Amino acid sequence: GQISSSNYWYGQFQIKFPHHTKTAEMIWTKATKMEKSGNFRKADSLYHHIDAHFSQDKRRKWATFRSALMYHQKEDYKTSAVQFHEVVEKRRGLWSGNGALFFKGDAFVQLGQKQEAKKAFLDCIKDFPLSYYAHLSRSHLAEHQLMPASEIPTISPLFISDEDAYAWPSPGA
């Protein structure tokens, strides 16, 4: 029928244009379908394929994250912690890296490794203090009593004059 015909033509496109952004999109779509159907091994393989072969594609920065998140959702916290660490190493400073720091911390909490969890949560806050994941990290630090509430880094508004705002941060500061 139409689905098998579509799959045939998608396959032909992927053979002819193996590094095209549309090919990455097709592989991503297949990976998410595999993930949703519970075929985590195949989804993991597809996500890693995107990471390895599509250096310019926007999905690449999330591919390894999705793979690690699957293991986290399956409660395989040891594997998820390792994979989230890989994401952090590759994607520090990006949203996916920031999210990976949070989930790495959460995996360590689940594994009972409180010091590692605390470090990951504090790294997440330091990496991008205004992010949603930094907010979750603050919550987890308090909820799991990883440090005194008074020591958890918070955000406070800084009231300064317009002149000082335009000059801040000053070059070389």
Side-chain angles (χ1 to χ4, degrees):
Q2 283 185 327
I3 292 176
S4 61
S5 177
S6 295
N7 288 337
Y8 170 79
W9 288 111
Y10 285 152
Q12 291 301 304
F13 184 91
Q14 289 176 6
I15 291 168
K16 187 165 178 123
F17 305 104
H19 299 292
H20 193 278
T21 187
K22 193 65 175 174
T23 298
E25 180 183 331
M26 287 183 245
I27 294 170
W28 179 270
T29 301
K30 187 173 183 177
T32 57
K33 285 181 182 178
M34 293 292 111
E35 183 181 343
K36 287 178 184 174
S37 70
N39 190 344
F40 297 118
R41 188 176 305 256
K42 180 67 175 174
D44 184 48
S45 172
L46 292 168
Y47 286 132
H48 283 287
H49 180 79
I50 291 169
D51 186 51
H53 298 286
F54 295 92
S55 63
Q56 301 301 312
D57 191 80
K58 63 185 177 186
R59 292 165 199 82
R60 181 179 188 216
K61 62 185 166 225
W62 288 101
T64 313
F65 181 92
R66 289 295 314 170
S67 178
L69 190 59
M70 284 188 312
Y71 287 100
H72 199 78
Q73 291 168 336
K74 287 175 37 178
E75 298 180 3
D76 181 352
Y77 299 114
K78 189 173 183 178
T79 303
S80 77
V82 170
Q83 286 203 5
F84 280 125
H85 179 75
E86 290 175 17
V87 175
V88 170
E89 293 300 309
K90 292 179 183 178
R91 313 282 185 249
R92 187 173 289 278
L94 298 175
W95 277 98
S96 53
N98 190 252
L101 283 166
F102 167 75
F103 281 106
K104 179 181 168 184
D106 189 57
F108 283 136
V109 164
Q110 302 303 324
L111 294 169
Q113 298 175 8
K114 291 189 172 199
Q115 287 305 315
E116 291 85 353
K118 177 181 171 182
K119 182 181 181 329
F121 290 140
L122 290 172
D123 284 350
C124 179
I125 294 167
K126 183 179 179 183
D127 182 55
F128 195 178
L130 299 175
S131 74
Y132 174 67
Y133 292 117
H135 165 71
L136 289 177
S137 291
R138 288 182 188 94
S139 297
H140 273 53
L141 284 166
E143 179 183 334
H144 298 288
Q145 301 175 346
L146 300 176
M147 62 189 307
S150 62
E151 294 178 18
I152 296 173
T154 60
I155 299 172
S156 301
L158 178 63
F159 297 101
I160 58 176
S161 69
D162 290 344
E163 294 81 23
D164 288 340
Y166 290 124
W168 180 81
S170 61

